[in-house]
């Protein structure tokens, strides 16, 4: 076959009297990105305001599909969208729940009292 010759040269001591500096770069290959599927399912069942919980669930499933294919950039995009939709679903669900509770506690007794007075009870 072919013979390969390698040349090795000795560099010796560094010419600069200052300290030798080095830089280490870590490349993380296994990034853990949560898919938020449990949170999306919870919002779909309990806080499905304007179908935000269902949309978040759909994006969580799309995240898993992209992750299986190996497209981590697309998967991270879907995960970010699912997280945003979940936050909005929870916030709007809590605001609507508080408003309905206030309506039932403060307004409904007055309406019932007025109706009873009008009918002669």
């Amino acid at each position: 076959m072919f013979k390969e010759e390698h040349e090795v040269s000795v560099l010796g001591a560094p010419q600069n009297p200052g300290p030798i500096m080095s830089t280490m770069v870590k490349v993380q290959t296994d990034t853990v990105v949560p898919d938020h599927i449990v949170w999306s399912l919870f919002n779909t069942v309990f806080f499905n305001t304007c179908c935000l919980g269902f949309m978040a669930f759909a994006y969580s499933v799309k995240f898993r599909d992209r992750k299986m294919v190996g497209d981590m950039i697309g998967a991270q995009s879907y995960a970010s969208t699912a997280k945003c939709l979940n936050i909005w679903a929870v916030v709007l669900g809590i605001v609507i729940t508080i408003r309905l509770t206030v309506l039932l506690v403060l307004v409904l007794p007055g309406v019932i009292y007025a109706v009873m007075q009008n009918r002669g009870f």
Side-chain angles (χ1 to χ4, degrees):
M1 287 293 238
F2 297 103
K3 284 188 171 183
E4 294 182 17
E5 293 184 21
H6 298 286
E7 182 177 326
V8 177
S9 62
V10 178
L11 297 175
Q15 301 296 325
N16 192 359
I20 299 174
M21 304 296 287
S22 65
T23 303
M24 181 185 293
V25 177
K26 278 190 168 183
V27 178
Q28 188 174 5
T29 57
D30 292 333
T31 57
V32 178
V33 179
D35 59 359
H36 307 294
I37 199 153
V38 175
W39 189 13
S40 300
L41 186 61
F42 175 81
N43 285 335
T44 300
V45 173
F46 295 108
F47 289 130
N48 201 16
T49 310
C50 300
C51 294
L52 290 175
F54 180 72
M55 289 173 27
F57 185 75
Y59 275 97
S60 297
V61 171
K62 286 182 180 184
F63 163 82
R64 287 189 170 193
D65 292 342
R66 290 285 94 200
K67 188 176 177 183
M68 290 298 290
V69 173
D71 180 17
M72 288 309 292
I73 295 172
Q76 287 176 344
S77 173
Y78 284 130
S80 174
T81 304
K83 181 180 178 181
C84 183
L85 289 171
N86 279 321
I87 290 170
W88 276 106
V90 168
V91 168
L92 289 176
I94 289 173
V95 167
I96 288 174
T97 301
I98 290 172
R99 287 182 132 185
L100 285 176
T101 304
V102 168
L103 179 73
L104 287 174
V105 169
L106 297 179
V107 176
L108 192 60
V111 171
I112 292 173
Y113 181 73
V115 169
M116 291 182 136
Q117 290 294 327
N118 193 17
R119 294 203 179 183
F121 288 105

